Amino acid sequence: MAKLIVVFKNKIMQEVKLAKETVRIGRDPDNEIHIENVGVSRFHAEIYRQEYPFYIEDMKSTNGTFVNGSFVNWKVALNDGDRITIGKHDLIFQLEASDYRESKKKIDFGETVCIRPENKRR
């Protein structure tokens, strides 16, 4: 099962298994990952799974969400070891071996047909 390791000033504050389809992160106590810090919005971001992979989506937070130093404009697929920055906290995304095997399964699209427009000369 995938998990997030919440780090503040190089100290592990908590580890959260991503057991639900959607995990909310923010300053409000109703979030699954509650971060009490003024740089964190009440409902800052969500991590969710659509089969595989996992995604993080910024919920129009005031100070933004970053993955590996890059600003999350809308949503970003997460990879094992990605560092999510919210306020002054880092959240390290980790997949377990079973998650990794699932994420590497081939997707069967059935019969796929590509239609290419003809090159017509005038």
Side-chain angles (χ1 to χ4, degrees):
M1 178 178 301
K3 67 180 176 181
L4 286 174
I5 301 171
V6 181
V7 178
F8 180 69
K9 293 186 177 180
N10 294 322
K11 181 181 175 190
I12 296 175
M13 304 304 287
Q14 68 184 59
E15 290 187 22
V16 179
K17 292 196 179 272
L18 302 177
K20 292 181 165 184
E21 287 293 317
T22 301
V23 174
R24 295 178 306 161
I25 305 163
R27 197 175 69 240
D28 192 283
D30 287 340
N31 291 294
E32 286 80 11
I33 299 176
H34 174 233
I35 300 174
E36 188 58 48
N37 185 282
V38 295
V40 179
S41 295
R42 286 182 57 237
F43 298 101
H44 198 101
E46 286 184 349
I47 293 181
Y48 57 92
R49 183 173 75 185
Q50 291 178 333
E51 294 293 322
Y52 286 92
F54 286 82
Y55 291 92
I56 185 162
E57 184 173 342
D58 185 83
M59 304 308 292
K60 300 180 183 174
S61 65
T62 301
N63 294 315
T65 301
F66 299 83
V67 174
N68 300 324
S70 296
F71 179 72
V72 175
N73 192 29
W74 182 47
K75 71 178 181 178
V76 172
L78 293 171
N79 296 301
D80 186 43
D82 279 349
R83 183 173 292 266
I84 301 160
T85 303
I86 294 178
K88 294 183 178 181
H89 289 73
D90 288 324
L91 294 84
I92 301 165
F93 177 76
Q94 289 186 342
L95 289 173
E96 290 186 349
S98 61
D99 293 316
Y100 187 74
R101 282 191 299 274
E102 281 293 316
S103 69
K104 294 298 179 188
K105 283 184 179 177
K106 292 184 179 179
I107 299 171
D108 181 15
F109 290 106
E111 289 188 34
T112 304
V113 178
C114 293
I115 300 173
R116 211 157 75 193
E118 294 180 27
N119 290 331
K120 294 185 178 181
R121 295 184 185 178
R122 294 182 184 188

